[in-house]
Amino acid sequence: MTESTTPAQQPSPNHRVLTLVCPDKPGIVHAMTAAIVASAGNIVELQQFSSLDTDRFFMRIEIDSPVTQGALLAEVNPVAERFNAEIHLDEVGRPVRTLVLGSTAEHCVNDLLFRQRTGHLPIEVTRLMANHPNLGNIAEFYGVPFEHLPIKSPEDKLAFENRVREVIAQDDIELVVLARYMQIVSPELCEELEGMAINIHHSFLPGFKGANPYRQAHERGVKVVGATAHFVTTDLDEGPIIEQNVRRVDHTDTVKQLQAMGQDEESRTLTQAVKWFAEHRILLDGHRTIVFR
């Protein structure tokens, strides 16, 4: 997607993206591209990968085709069935309906909503939910509905997560983004959100957990700060990694400077992961991701 200072153009219904995952075997590319040509489609981008670890094949194709989505599927579905493939077809650039969860930190939420407004991020944030009221002003500024549900007990947490389930159903949510949502998601909700929820957290070498990680990092004299975006799973912060970024720091940087640099990396990394998800560039290969950049 080419960046500009004006909102992106509306997606063309004739420009589509097809993703495919199946057991690896000869003839997949030939058969699928032939089916696309048979539907009068023109392939404008094709990326593929064969995983030697799992013996699975991954492909992403962008297609210009004058026929309807149903007519295109009529050609490619028999190929998918022949190769036991999972396929997904969508319009390129269609905004993905997104729910954002936050707590008090503003940087990631602000970056997501700003890039949505400018047309640089193909998502439609239908709602921002948080367990603190701090993000209300940002939501109001960007014109996004905001819900504040405090979590002070296990019952509150259950009520919050049940409301998340309601919003997902009501708003036809396709992606849930944990934008520094500082609550542990229950195993039950993690399983329900498998493959559609992205989380962000800081990355230090060595790692620091608990309160004041940037102060811990400063006291230990770290030389690198960064961030990791990953899919949410029942294993805390152990889901398939989508994107990581780091930057070098040194002894002259204060705790406040370390935190500012770390937050910049968190915002950049989360936004990039969300963009790739919305562009259908991320495919799961077991516990890791295939990202077609």
Side-chain angles (χ1 to χ4, degrees), residues 87-238:
I87 66 170
H88 180 79
L89 183 66
D90 205 343
E91 294 178 9
V92 170
R94 179 187 66 80
V96 171
R97 296 180 64 80
T98 302
L99 169 64
V100 176
L101 305 182
S103 288
T104 60
E106 300 176 344
H107 54 289
C108 288
V109 172
N110 183 69
D111 196 62
L112 291 169
L113 297 183
F114 170 75
R115 294 181 187 278
Q116 173 196 242
R117 169 177 284 187
T118 58
H120 298 153
L121 195 59
I123 62 174
E124 178 186 356
V125 178
T126 68
R127 202 174 310 243
L128 170 61
M129 296 178 61
N131 60 317
H132 293 276
N134 306 49
L135 301 177
N137 289 337
I138 289 181
E140 182 180 6
F141 177 79
Y142 288 105
V144 173
F146 176 70
E147 291 189 23
H148 162 228
L149 288 79
I151 299 178
K152 299 181 179 180
S153 68
E155 292 75 21
D156 290 341
K157 180 176 180 178
L158 179 59
F160 189 102
E161 293 194 351
N162 283 337
R163 179 56 184 156
V164 168
R165 292 181 174 96
E166 291 175 357
V167 170
I168 289 173
Q170 292 171 3
D171 294 356
D172 295 323
I173 294 299
E174 303 166 90
L175 170 65
V176 178
V177 181
L178 279 62
R180 298 301 292 166
Y181 174 63
M182 303 305 291
Q183 291 285 319
I184 297 176
V185 180
S186 70
E188 294 79 13
L189 187 57
C190 285
E191 292 177 358
E192 295 172 35
L193 299 180
E194 183 178 3
M196 63 172 289
I198 296 176
N199 190 24
I200 184 72
H201 62 80
H202 63 74
S203 299
F204 288 112
L205 296 175
F208 300 104
K209 297 182 179 180
N212 298 317
Y214 287 97
R215 180 167 296 281
Q216 296 179 56
H218 182 264
E219 291 172 352
R220 288 286 301 276
V222 299
K223 300 299 183 276
V224 175
V225 298
T228 295
H230 61 89
F231 282 115
V232 173
T233 64
T234 54
D235 295 323
L236 182 63
D237 292 339
E238 297 291 337

Side-chain angles (χ1 to χ4, degrees), residues 1-149:
M1 179 179 294
T2 302
E3 296 220 341
S4 65
T5 57
T6 58
Q9 296 180 350
Q10 292 297 314
S12 167
N14 294 331
H15 193 185
R16 301 186 178 93
V17 55
L18 173 73
T19 58
L20 176 148
V21 181
C22 67
D24 195 14
K25 62 178 64 175
I28 302 169
V29 175
H30 179 271
M32 186 56 70
T33 54
I36 293 169
V37 171
S39 70
N42 178 44
I43 296 173
V44 296
E45 180 181 317
L46 188 153
Q47 294 174 284
Q48 65 186 74
F49 176 73
S50 295
S51 172
L52 299 178
D53 299 311
T54 59
D55 199 29
R56 294 182 68 76
F57 179 80
F58 305 83
M59 185 162 61
R60 180 185 185 275
I61 312 174
E62 289 193 18
I63 308 158
D64 274 331
S65 176
V67 303
T68 65
Q69 181 160 312
L72 182 55
L73 284 172
E75 293 290 345
V76 301
N77 274 336
V79 176
E81 293 174 4
R82 188 195 324 167
F83 290 98
N84 192 26
E86 299 176 12
I87 66 170
H88 180 79
L89 183 66
D90 205 343
E91 294 178 9
V92 170
R94 179 187 66 80
V96 171
R97 296 180 64 80
T98 302
L99 169 64
V100 176
L101 305 182
S103 288
T104 60
E106 300 176 344
H107 54 289
C108 288
V109 172
N110 183 69
D111 196 62
L112 291 169
L113 297 183
F114 170 75
R115 294 181 187 278
Q116 173 196 242
R117 169 177 284 187
T118 58
H120 298 153
L121 195 59
I123 62 174
E124 178 186 356
V125 178
T126 68
R127 202 174 310 243
L128 170 61
M129 296 178 61
N131 60 317
H132 293 276
N134 306 49
L135 301 177
N137 289 337
I138 289 181
E140 182 180 6
F141 177 79
Y142 288 105
V144 173
F146 176 70
E147 291 189 23
H148 162 228
L149 288 79

